[in-house]
């Protein structure tokens, strides 16, 4: 069982009616970019906990998670209502292996995210390890509507700093938006449009792929990559 520590809410940003970013302070200690923590609240006399990836880099003092509301879920509707000054519980240790330290050396790193799965990749892109380890980094971020493309200002700042290395490919599947692909990641991968847009060839010899988000997307892309 984890040891729970108190975390003070610093901010709660509403991206859409369903998407929120929660910022808080807690003496969490060291973690690696890409890892997740467990947040918890006491509900009806019981501790209800769920895992959430950290969006902040390991060097930032404020912790941040990005989540969507699950209407029938016990926790996310309550997290969305938290205000600065409120408190939640956070497990004292981070977990997870979605980190660049776990990836063998390669020339190119592809990050394929859908929905809130972009969170750990933002954390990784904010830290320095990916830029030291890979020549090129491709972030593919898929959502249904343009309003759901969160953290665009953060991605733009990272792109300015690492413009020679970062290729950002936004994907909006249910709207046609200038500068964004209008098809699922799997379709863009099969047609070659994804690599054409990124300007980088995805190959077994030179590339590693990290995925986070919808389980169907991960399974389908995995099968496509295996076939290649």
């Amino acid at each position: 069982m984890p040891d729970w520590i108190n975390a003070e809410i610093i901010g709660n940003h509403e991206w859409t009616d369903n998407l929120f970013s929660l910022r808080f302070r807690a003496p969490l200690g060291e973690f690696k970019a890409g890892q997740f923590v467990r947040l918890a609240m006491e509900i009806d006399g019981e501790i209800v906990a769920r895992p959430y990836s950290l969006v902040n880099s390991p060097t930032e003092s404020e912790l941040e998670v990005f989540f969507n509301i699950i209407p029938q879920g016990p926790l996310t509707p309550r997290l969305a209502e938290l205000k600065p000054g409120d408190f939640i519980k956070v497990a004292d240790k981070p977990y997870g292996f979605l980190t660049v330290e776990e990836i063998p050396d390669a020339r190119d790193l592809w990050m394929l995210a859908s929905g809130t799965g972009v969170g750990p990749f933002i954390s990784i892109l904010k830290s320095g390890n990916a830029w030291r380890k890979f020549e090129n980094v491709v972030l593919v971020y898929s959502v249904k509507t343009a309003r759901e493309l969160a953290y665009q200002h953060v991605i733009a700042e990272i792109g300015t700093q690492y413009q020679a290395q970062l290729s950002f490919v936004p994907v909006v599947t249910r709207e046609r938006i200038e500068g964004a692909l209008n098809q699922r990641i799997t379709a863009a991968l099969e047609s070659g449009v994804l690599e054409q847009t990124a300007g980088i060839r995805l190959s077994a010899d030179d590339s590693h792929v990290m995925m986070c988000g919808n389980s169907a997307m991960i399974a389908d892309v995995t099968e496509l990559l295996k076939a290649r």
Side-chain angles (χ1 to χ4, degrees), residues 90-149:
V90 58
D92 61 339
K93 293 181 181 179
Y95 304 91
F97 300 97
L98 191 71
T99 67
V100 296
E101 288 82 1
E102 294 291 326
I103 304 175
D105 291 337
R107 186 189 66 193
D108 306 325
L109 174 63
W110 288 71
M111 298 175 167
L112 309 185
S114 62
T116 57
V118 77
F121 294 150
I122 296 292
S123 177
I124 290 171
L125 293 176
K126 282 183 174 182
S127 64
N129 288 351
W131 309 110
R132 290 189 290 267
K133 189 168 184 175
F134 301 97
E135 291 183 24
N136 304 299
V137 177
V138 181
L139 173 63
V140 181
Y141 180 13
S142 177
V143 295
K144 295 176 182 177
T145 65
R147 291 185 63 215
E148 296 172 287
L149 282 172

Side-chain angles (χ1 to χ4, degrees), residues 48-96:
V48 177
R50 296 290 187 273
Y52 298 95
S53 294
L54 291 168
V55 180
N56 56 288
S57 76
T59 59
E60 292 178 292
S61 59
E62 292 183 0
L63 305 173
E64 184 172 349
V65 296
F66 180 41
F67 66 95
N68 62 293
I69 293 179
I70 301 173
Q72 304 305 319
L75 190 59
T76 53
R78 290 174 169 84
L79 292 179
E81 295 176 353
L82 292 172
K83 298 177 176 59
D86 290 339
F87 284 85
I88 56 173
K89 296 181 183 298
V90 58
D92 61 339
K93 293 181 181 179
Y95 304 91

